[in-house]
């Protein structure tokens, strides 16, 4: 059986043929840590963690790069709004994303590069584009010349997103010296009070699209296997990545994969809509593995419509698997059924794969009821093998004990009481008491972050 993946670039299911035999190279657009992660953010992490696990299960040596966009207009605006240094703001929320990924069992990336650490590579990339005639400097900024690239032989601008060039809007503020309204910033000229780095064209900071091309090719080469990310990144981010990379002479990604959104009431989950559900909040309702099960239960290209009922139904589904294996006691990982592998090879069809798992669980429970323990244990070994691929093997998650969850819940009650005392002190302008509470929590390894929705706490790594 051959793995087939839906390639956004060609709008077709394609056999996965890696660039190098036995190796798979994957780049995932990771977090822009401007605020606390919600379940819409981490769905991408879970979806492509399943891809990575399946590639590993097929015997591939996987290089998996997940970047962090640690400089961005929104980050700077949020930091200024809260009176915090930009680097502190982004670092605080980056730790929250890392905690969320780890808590949901997402494997650590092979490398997690940050945009601010790769300015040298970006300068080199811009020079290549300027030399090729597809970028230009203006007033300290550097822009990609969309018209020049669109007119080039073999140019494919718009192919990834399906947009016509004349209909495209970059969503960027007008910059001084731009030749065309569709040109996008590779480098943004320095502004007073903002962080900046030196380049031959003037001090400034990276444009969003440039950083990913520079980091992807630095770690994976000018051509690599899979580029993935959320559907909302298809345009302008991924379209512009592809354009600048091809214009620089790099073949870039061979396959493009995009996961769909988590929605509420039919609307994409986002900060602006005010319908955000944070990972810590959801974990007061279900365990981490149950949230992972829920986020991965729909096909990655399908909309996942959030409701508390659907979340609890998913948690109950996971517990049926868990209860079956618990009844068996210790059981080794066995072989996967062919039907499960066929589902995963069909563009990672997790819903079909889960159906195979639940069919096996029902058969295993029937075998136990009939006293056929040996048959039940063979089925249990298969269930472990299948769930391991999805990152939800109950035996692996057993270390996340109910006692541990209870302990965090108890800690939350105590910390919330302290935060309420601090909030009262601040309201009364009793700054000494407010600072005393914060310092005591900090000494205990608890970091407090003030937000418009109130104070949040997290255990420092």
């Amino acid at each position: 059986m051959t793995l087939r993946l839906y390639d956004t670039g060609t709008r077709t299911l394609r056999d996965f043929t890696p660039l190098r035999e036995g190796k798979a190279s994957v780049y995932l657009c990771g977090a822009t840590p401007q605020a606390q992660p919600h379940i819409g953010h981490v769905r991408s992490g879970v979806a492509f963690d399943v891809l990575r696990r399946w590639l590993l299960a097929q015997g591939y040596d996987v290089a998996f790069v997940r970047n962090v966009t640690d400089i961005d207009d929104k980050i700077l605006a949020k930091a200024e709004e809260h009176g915090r240094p930009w680097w502190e703001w982004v670092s605080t929320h980056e730790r929250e994303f890392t905690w969320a990924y780890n808590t949901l069992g997402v494997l650590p990336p092979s490398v997690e590069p940050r945009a601010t650490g790769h300015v040298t590579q970006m300068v080199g990339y811009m020079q290549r584009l300027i030399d090729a005639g597809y970028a230009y400097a203006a007033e300290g900024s550097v822009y990609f010349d969309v018209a020049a690239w669109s007119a080039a032989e073999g140019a494919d601008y718009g192919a990834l997103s399906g947009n016509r060039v004349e209909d495209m809007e970059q969503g960027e503020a007008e910059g001084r010296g731009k030749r065309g309204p569709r040109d996008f910033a590779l480098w943004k000229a320095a502004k007073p009070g903002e962080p900046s780095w030196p380049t031959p064209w003037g001090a400034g900071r990276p444009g969003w699209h440039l950083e990913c091309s520079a980091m992807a090719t630095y770690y994976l080469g000018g051509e690599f296997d899979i580029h993935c990310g959320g559907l909302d990144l298809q345009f302008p981010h991924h379209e512009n990545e592809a354009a600048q990379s091809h214009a620089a002479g790099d073949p870039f990604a061979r396959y493009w994969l995009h996961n769909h959104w988590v929605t509420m009431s039919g609307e994409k989950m986002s900060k602006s809509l005010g319908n955000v559900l944070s990972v810590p909040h959801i974990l007061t309702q279900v365990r981490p593995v149950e949230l992972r099960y829920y986020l991965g239960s729909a096909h990655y290209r399908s909309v996942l419509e959030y409701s508390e009922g659907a979340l609890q139904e998913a948690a109950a589904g996971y517990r049926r698997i868990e209860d079956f294996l618990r009844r068996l006691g210790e059981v080794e990982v066995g072989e996967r059924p062919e039907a499960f592998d066929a589902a995963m090879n069909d563009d990672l069809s997790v819903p079909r794969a889960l159906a195979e798992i639940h069919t096996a669980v029902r058969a295993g429970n029937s075998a136990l009821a009939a006293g056929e323990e040996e048959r039940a244990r063979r089925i249990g070994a298969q269930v472990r093998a299948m769930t391991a691929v999805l990152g939800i093997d109950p035996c692996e998650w057993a270390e996340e004990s109910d006692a541990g969850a209870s302990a965090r819940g108890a800690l939350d009650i105590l910390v919330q009481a302290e935060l309420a005392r601090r909030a009262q002190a601040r309201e009364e302008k009793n700054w000494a008491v407010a600072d005393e509470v914060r310092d005591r929590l900090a000494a205990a390894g608890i970091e407090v972050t003030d937000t418009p929705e109130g104070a949040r706490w997290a255990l420092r790594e």
Side-chain angles (χ1 to χ4, degrees):
M1 292 180 287
T2 301
L3 172 61
R4 291 171 63 77
L5 297 171
Y6 184 83
D7 174 26
T8 308
T10 61
R11 308 295 193 279
T12 61
L13 275 171
R14 296 174 53 203
D15 289 354
F16 176 64
T17 304
L19 182 64
R20 299 173 184 83
E21 186 176 355
K23 298 181 181 296
S25 46
V26 183
Y27 185 88
L28 171 61
C29 277
T32 301
Q34 50 152 320
Q36 190 177 38
H38 58 64
I39 59 174
H41 291 133
V42 296
R43 184 190 183 190
S44 179
V46 171
F48 296 117
D49 184 60
V50 171
L51 166 66
R52 182 184 185 184
R53 288 172 182 268
W54 183 237
L55 291 170
L56 290 168
Q58 299 300 293
Y60 287 104
D61 178 7
V62 182
F64 193 94
V65 180
R66 183 183 72 208
N67 78 294
V68 176
T69 297
D70 63 344
I71 189 70
D72 172 85
D73 290 344
K74 293 178 180 177
I75 289 170
L76 296 177
K78 287 281 188 181
E80 183 177 7
E81 178 186 341
H82 291 87
R84 309 306 305 169
W86 71 271
W87 47 265
E88 179 198 55
W89 188 261
V90 75
S91 296
T92 297
H93 294 99
E94 183 183 343
R95 287 194 296 273
E96 291 184 337
F97 271 86
T98 299
W99 173 85
Y101 290 137
N102 291 344
T103 300
L104 296 186
V106 174
L107 298 172
S110 306
V111 64
E112 193 167 30
R114 290 155 185 79
T116 56
H118 294 78
V119 171
T120 299
Q121 288 76 24
M122 295 179 208
V123 168
Y125 224 91
M126 286 187 284
Q127 188 63 64
R128 290 167 62 191
L129 286 167
I130 289 173
D131 292 345
Y134 299 122
Y136 58 92
E139 304 287 340
S141 295
V142 180
Y143 296 100
F144 184 81
D145 193 329
V146 170
W149 174 241
S150 299
E153 183 178 354
D156 54 358
Y157 193 58
L160 182 62
S161 62
N163 292 323
R164 297 187 305 172
V165 176
E166 56 268 28
D167 295 334
M168 293 181 182
E169 293 184 8
Q170 298 293 349
E172 294 184 356
E174 285 299 316
R176 291 185 301 172
K178 280 179 68 170
R179 295 176 182 171
R182 297 176 185 86
D183 296 352
F184 57 87
L186 301 170
W187 190 258
K188 298 183 177 184
K191 296 179 181 178
E194 288 190 354
S196 63
W197 290 261
T199 76
W201 310 283
R205 58 184 174 87
W208 180 26
H209 317 302
L210 173 69
E211 62 189 47
C212 280
S213 288
M215 289 186 286
T217 55
Y218 181 72
Y219 290 99
L220 299 177
E223 184 176 14
F224 57 93
D225 292 315
I226 300 171
H227 193 311
C228 42
L231 184 64
D232 53 327
L233 300 179
Q234 191 174 337
F235 182 84
H237 187 43
H238 289 168
E239 187 74 73
N240 289 347
E241 275 188 69
Q244 66 199 11
S245 301
H246 295 165
D250 290 333
F252 209 55
R254 294 158 60 89
Y255 301 80
W256 289 86
L257 273 62
H258 292 92
N259 68 281
H260 219 307
W261 303 322
V262 177
T263 62
M264 292 179 65
S265 303
E267 294 185 279
K268 175 180 176 286
M269 187 173 294
S270 70
K271 294 276 187 287
S272 60
L273 291 175
N275 57 6
V276 173
L277 290 174
S278 71
V279 174
H281 172 72
I282 297 296
L283 292 180
T284 65
Q285 303 175 54
V286 294
R287 293 176 295 166
V289 65
E290 293 167 347
L291 177 54
R292 180 188 172 101
Y293 179 101
Y294 170 68
L295 291 174
S297 59
H299 193 281
Y300 75 94
R301 288 194 289 116
S302 299
V303 172
L304 181 61
E305 174 71 10
Y306 174 81
S307 72
E308 188 172 341
L311 176 66
Q312 294 300 335
E313 184 179 340
Y318 173 78
R319 288 194 293 270
R320 286 193 289 274
I321 302 170
E322 184 180 47
D323 290 344
F324 166 59
L325 289 176
R326 184 178 291 141
R327 293 174 66 194
L328 287 177
E330 189 173 342
V331 61
E332 296 296 319
V333 176
E335 298 294 323
R336 298 183 306 271
E338 289 186 6
F340 177 89
D341 284 10
M344 294 300 294
N345 279 327
D346 184 16
D347 193 31
L348 308 175
S349 184
V350 173
R352 281 173 49 201
L354 284 172
E356 293 299 325
I357 293 172
H358 285 288
T359 296
V361 167
R362 287 192 293 272
N365 282 327
S366 296
L368 284 175
E372 301 172 357
E373 186 171 340
E374 184 176 343
R375 177 168 171 260
R377 295 186 71 78
R378 286 199 302 271
I379 294 172
Q382 290 182 326
V383 169
R384 282 207 64 191
M386 292 186 284
T387 54
V389 166
L390 303 182
I392 55 170
D393 178 4
C395 298
E396 290 292 329
W397 280 87
E399 296 178 7
E400 178 69 29
S401 65
D402 292 337
S406 297
R408 184 174 180 87
L411 179 60
D412 181 62
I413 292 171
L414 295 173
V415 173
Q416 292 297 344
E418 286 294 282
L419 292 178
R421 179 168 171 251
R422 176 173 174 263
Q424 181 66 32
R426 295 180 75 182
E427 187 175 335
E428 297 171 353
K429 301 191 184 320
N430 190 341
W431 308 119
V433 171
D435 291 345
E436 175 195 339
V437 171
R438 183 167 189 146
D439 292 345
R440 184 164 58 251
L441 291 173
I446 295 167
E447 185 173 85
V448 176
T449 303
D450 292 311
T451 76
E453 294 78 32
R456 296 200 310 264
W457 69 272
L459 287 170
R460 286 200 295 267
E461 296 290 334

